[in-house]
Structures are given as C-alpha cells and as structure tokens.
C-alpha cells in the first residue's frame, strides 16, 4: 500500500466510531471521487482557519473574540451550561427563549483524568455578576459522568453564588444518554420543563 494512503487511513482511524474497516472504505471512496476529496479538504481548511473558541462562553466562533450569541447583549439573564460547544447550537436552535450559554469543554471523568480544573469554570466568576445572571440551567445529559458533573456544579455554584437559582433539564432525557443524542422535541421539552436542582428537596 502507498504510504500516503496508509497515513490517511491512520488519521481517519483516530476519529471516534471509525475502525479499520470503515477507514478503508472512506479512503476508497475519497480516492475514487476526487471532487469529494477536494470538497472535504476545503471544508477542513475553512474550519481550521476560521473557527476559534469564544473567549466568553467557550463555544465556537467564526468572529473572535466573541461568538454570535455572546455578542447579543440583550439576551435573557438565564445561563444554560452545556458540556460541548455543539450543544450550544443544538439548544439555541430550539430554545423557546433567547438564553445565554456557557460551555464546560467536557465533563468530569476520573478514568480519563478529567477533574474540575479541566472544566471551563473560571470565566463564570465574572460572567455571573457582569451579565446579571439570575438563573443557571444545567443542560447535562443522563450519563454517569454528566450526572456527576451536575452535582459537582451544584456545589460549585452554591459556594460561589449562593443567591443564584439553579435548575436542570431532566424531564424526558433518557438515563445514560448524552444531550447531543436526544431528539429535538425531547430536548426542547426538557429545556421548557426544567426543574429546580435541589437534591435535598426531592429526597
Ligand atoms: Zn460565546
């Protein structure tokens, strides 16, 4: 096999969900459709060149330093906290109102060595007071790691901002599923019917 083809195959295998078999199929497809190959190259290059991280919320932006959402100062004083940048797009597209967002950049995972220091929490210390945030909605899914992170965040917010209202989307989100895996209607319902996050009250 040509070493360049082998290299391409190896890169593809680093992507989640792509094993040796799939990467071989993808390479075959790309080599036999050069226009597709070029289209992919251009798309990758455009994303690499123009997409960076919003310094306020941690989401993606093509207009640094802030993203399109953070530029809209008239949004509600409700801050929706999500795990990954793409969750912002998913939720904002279907949210019933114009909320603000904050991206953690992952969830706690002891096995992978992801602790609280790895989460994008520092900007929240200024965001909450500066933007007059009244309510934080934890929009995390039902996996073990996401639930653990939600409880950690509850303590974190209570410690730093005792007066803040904290709620979470829970209704309808299946246990063991990530936010990004839920269908639009479920996610929308989960956001609308968010509940106060108060473990003592519910036990
Ligand atoms: Zn932003």
């Amino acid at each position: 096999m040509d070493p360049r083809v082998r290299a391409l195959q190896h890169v593809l295998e680093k992507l989640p969900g792509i094993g040796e078999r799939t990467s071989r199929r993808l390479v075959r497809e790309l080599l036999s459709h050069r226009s597709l190959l070029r289209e992919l190259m251009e798309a990758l290059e455009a994303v690499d060149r123009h997409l960076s991280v919003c310094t306020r919320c941690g989401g993606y932006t093509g207009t640094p330093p802030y993203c399109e959402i953070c530029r809209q100062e008239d949004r509600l004083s409700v801050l929706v906290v999500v795990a990954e940048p793409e969750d912002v797009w998913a939720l904002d597209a279907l949210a019933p109102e114009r909320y603000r967002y904050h991206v953690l950049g992952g969830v706690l995972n002891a096995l992978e060595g992801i602790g609280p220091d790895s989460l994008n929490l520092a900007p929240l210390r200024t965001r909450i007071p500066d933007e007059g945030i009244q309510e934080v909605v934890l929009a995390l899914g039902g996996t073990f790691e996401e639930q653990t992170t939600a409880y950690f965040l509850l303590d974190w917010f209570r410690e730093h901002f005792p007066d803040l209202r904290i709620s979470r989307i829970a209704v309808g989100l299946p246990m063991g599923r990530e936010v990004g895996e839920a269908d639009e209607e479920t996610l929308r319902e989960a956001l609308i019917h968010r509940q106060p996050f108060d473990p003592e009250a519910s036990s």
Side-chain angles (χ1 to χ4, degrees):
M1 188 195 285
D2 186 279
R4 283 153 291 207
V5 174
R6 196 192 304 274
L8 175 58
Q9 210 170 297
H10 280 164
V11 175
L12 291 170
E13 279 170 33
K14 289 180 184 172
L15 295 169
I18 296 185
E20 202 186 319
R21 236 178 113 113
T22 309
S23 81
R24 248 186 290 144
R25 265 183 56 205
L26 289 172
V27 167
R28 194 194 313 142
E29 198 68 16
L30 289 169
L31 291 180
S32 55
H33 298 91
R34 286 303 177 96
S35 61
L36 182 64
L37 179 72
R38 254 167 244 128
E39 222 177 300
L40 180 66
M41 266 165 54
E42 280 165 23
L44 290 172
E45 206 174 77
V47 165
D48 181 45
R49 186 173 301 166
H50 298 292
L51 218 62
S52 54
V53 171
C54 171
T55 55
R56 187 180 281 181
C57 72
Y60 293 129
T61 175
T63 55
Y66 300 143
C67 70
E68 214 172 300
I69 292 173
C70 286
R71 281 175 197 283
Q72 298 166 5
E73 298 288 351
D74 61 338
R75 285 195 169 233
L76 295 179
S77 50
V78 176
L79 186 73
V80 182
V81 176
V82 298
E84 305 293 346
E86 62 270 21
D87 296 338
V88 174
W89 291 331
L91 285 167
D92 197 50
L94 51 84
E97 293 174 293
R98 295 167 69 241
Y99 304 129
R100 294 163 193 258
Y101 294 89
H102 193 82
V103 180
L104 296 170
V107 287
L108 297 177
N109 190 323
L111 287 178
E112 291 176 16
I114 303 170
D117 291 346
S118 310
L119 303 181
N120 179 32
L121 293 172
L124 285 172
R125 289 176 185 262
T126 47
R127 284 200 72 184
I128 307 271
D130 289 357
E131 296 172 45
I133 301 297
Q134 307 282 321
E135 179 187 357
V136 164
V137 183
L138 304 179
L140 298 166
T143 68
F144 174 74
E145 288 77 18
E146 284 169 301
Q147 292 295 300
T148 307
T149 307
Y151 280 98
F152 164 78
L153 290 174
L154 179 65
D155 286 341
W156 190 89
F157 280 113
R158 276 181 173 172
E159 187 189 332
H160 294 96
F161 304 98
D163 298 329
L164 207 57
R165 198 158 74 230
I166 301 167
S167 50
R168 64 168 170 176
I169 57 162
V171 180
L173 269 194
M175 286 299 287
R177 298 278 290 275
E178 291 178 10
V179 165
E181 293 173 330
D183 66 86
E184 281 186 18
E185 195 48 39
T186 306
L187 211 50
R188 191 179 146 82
E189 287 297 310
L191 197 55
I192 292 173
H193 301 292
R194 61 181 185 268
Q195 295 171 337
F197 191 6
D198 190 353
E200 284 106 68
S202 57
S203 61

